[in-house]
Amino acid sequence: MTTKDCLTVTDSRTGKTYELPITNGNIRAADLRQIKVDETEFGMMAYDPAFMNTASCKSAITYIDGDKGILRYRGYPIDQLAEKATFLEVAYLLFNSELPTQAELDDFTRDVTTHTFVHENVRTVIDGFRYDAHPMGMLVAAVGALSTFYPEAKHVLDGEVRRRQMIRLIAKMPTLAAWSYRHSVGMPFVYPDNELSYVENFLSMMKRVAEPKFKAHPVIARAMDVLFILHADHEQNCSANVMRAIGSSRADPYCSVAGACAALYGPLHGGANEAVLRMLREIGSLGNVPAFVKDVKTGRGGRLMGFGHRVYKNYDPRAKVIKHLADQVFDIVGKNPLLDVALELEKVALSDEYFVERKLYPNVDFYSGLIYQALEIPVDMFPVLFAIPRTAGWLAQWEEMLLDKDQKISRPRQVYTGEAKRDFLPLEDRK
Ligand code: ACO
């Protein structure tokens, strides 16, 4: 077969030549299967641990160009969304491909706001945890438990049912997140206040003590909203991939989100900003920065946490927005003393050949931990704060997967490296 755009491959083992069609600049891995030495073979596969160079899906949600430092949701640059939109507007955009009109946004906001309460038994689920349970562990369990309260959610191919669960999840995640936190600090649960905005309500459920109504400072509420926008989606990251994989077996979205949260729990994904704080505390003062950077370069001091990214080989566009946000927050709550260390570290690293050569720039986590700490949010809550907005991205990815005719149950192949067939030895014959 000859097509206009194709990749011509010659197998040196057989001398045979194959033409693999190129679509959107890529070949289909399944087209490699025709490459065999003899007909009884399974055929050629691509070995790609950690999906370093494998597109597992087509997606129209998020675009990243790591070399240029570009991140867009549905075509809109992240910095424009962070400046002009609200998180719920962005969630609507992720779900529906287009920004909402005022009437659509009002409907969407009303829908989300009237689904913030959870069944009273969920309280018991969270109450059942030990006093020192990690809030992320509780969040994973509580969101999975929601599956049992909404049995109709299993009808994932019914668009109306699907959309109802998407609204419920966006609405209830802040409630579950805040209650997990309150349990971990031994504080009574605060019920949702549907007169407040999405973020103000979350802050109220986290922070309210005896006052009849919690009023977040508008700058703080806006900062949190922007942080939510920045974390809403990031295409096929580890947790989105988990969401798609679980959802591909047609599990309901509560179980799928629980799995995605579990993936986010890991320090290599949702936990890096905690590591940044630990590192900044260890460095302690400006004077120690040069020695620390030297140790990083010689491999004695570990990595410069909050620097480098698998995809971005340029300044992470989210880090730029967060750096600016940090200034606004510190104007209200007072400067985090570790900020000067962070700024000096960034200055030194960005002019150092080691970091320049390797294209290591600050990532989203470099400044976000400093903001959360300034808001007196404990580090255990950092991945939980990530999970709330990322739920919007997970759900958009999940629905796109379900509606994609190319998709099937997610099931990678393996290269078997174990023993060839051997016969069972009775226990008494084993040495
Ligand atoms: N500090 C010092 N050196 C680094 C760093 C760093 N933060 N990151 C990478 N390097 C060096 C590596 O040692 C390697 O050097 P070499 O070529 O001399 O061996 C080179 O840069 C390439 O590094 P890789 O590990 O191959 O890059 P990869 O893309 O696999 O890693 C990662 C990306 C894991 C994010 C890495 O940069 C890192 O560990 N950063 C610190 C942790 C962090 O901030 N993670 C948050 C990421 S953002 C997020 O997940 C939301």
Side-chain angles (χ1 to χ4, degrees), residues 52 231 234 237 264 266-273 275-276 279 293 296-297 302-313 316 318 354-355 357-366 386 390:
M52 296 283 287
H231 286 91
H234 212 229
N237 56 86
L264 190 67
L268 296 187
H269 191 3
N273 47 11
V276 172
M279 173 190 76
V293 170
V296 167
K297 292 196 294 183
R303 289 194 163 188
L304 178 47
M305 298 312 286
F307 259 68
H309 196 277
R310 170 58 60 78
V311 179
Y312 294 116
K313 301 302 169 196
D316 181 336
R318 300 167 299 174
Y354 174 96
F355 297 93
E357 248 176 29
R358 289 168 179 76
K359 299 186 176 167
L360 300 170
Y361 295 88
N363 60 46
V364 67
D365 291 314
F366 194 63
F386 195 155
R390 185 53 62 86

Side-chain angles (χ1 to χ4, degrees), residues 121-151:
N121 288 2
V122 173
R123 220 194 137 95
T124 331
V125 171
I126 297 179
D127 257 341
F129 285 98
R130 253 173 64 138
Y131 69 97
D132 57 352
H134 193 291
M136 196 63 177
M138 288 189 269
L139 182 70
V140 169
V143 71
L146 286 187
S147 153
T148 64
F149 293 90
Y150 303 109

Side-chain angles (χ1 to χ4, degrees), residues 74 91-97 108 111 115 155-156 158-170 253-254 395-396 398-400 403:
R74 301 282 188 191
Y92 183 99
L93 172 69
L94 292 172
F95 287 3
N96 299 299
S97 316
F108 186 71
D111 247 7
H115 284 88
H155 302 299
V156 294
D158 180 325
E160 210 177 298
V161 171
R162 202 167 53 231
R163 283 292 166 135
R164 203 173 313 131
Q165 317 316 315
M166 288 164 78
I167 293 286
R168 281 182 174 142
L169 271 157
I170 292 285
Y254 302 101
L395 290 167
W398 169 74
E399 187 174 59
E400 184 177 64
L403 298 178

Side-chain angles (χ1 to χ4, degrees), residues 176-223:
L176 300 179
W179 285 11
S180 301
Y181 165 69
R182 299 287 285 206
H183 180 80
S184 71
V185 290
M187 297 277 285
F189 297 154
V190 176
Y191 283 86
D193 181 342
N194 288 352
E195 286 178 359
L196 299 177
S197 73
Y198 188 80
V199 163
E200 287 167 341
N201 174 48
F202 173 60
L203 289 170
S204 161
M205 291 187 291
M206 285 272 293
K207 300 266 185 189
R208 199 174 125 205
V209 187
E211 63 275 42
K213 201 162 183 87
F214 181 84
K215 272 208 92 48
H217 191 290
V219 171
I220 305 293
R222 178 60 192 157

Side-chain angles (χ1 to χ4, degrees), residues 281-294:
R281 265 192 231 116
E282 262 167 42
I283 299 172
S285 68
L286 290 184
N288 296 333
V289 168
F292 178 80
V293 170
K294 196 168 157 214

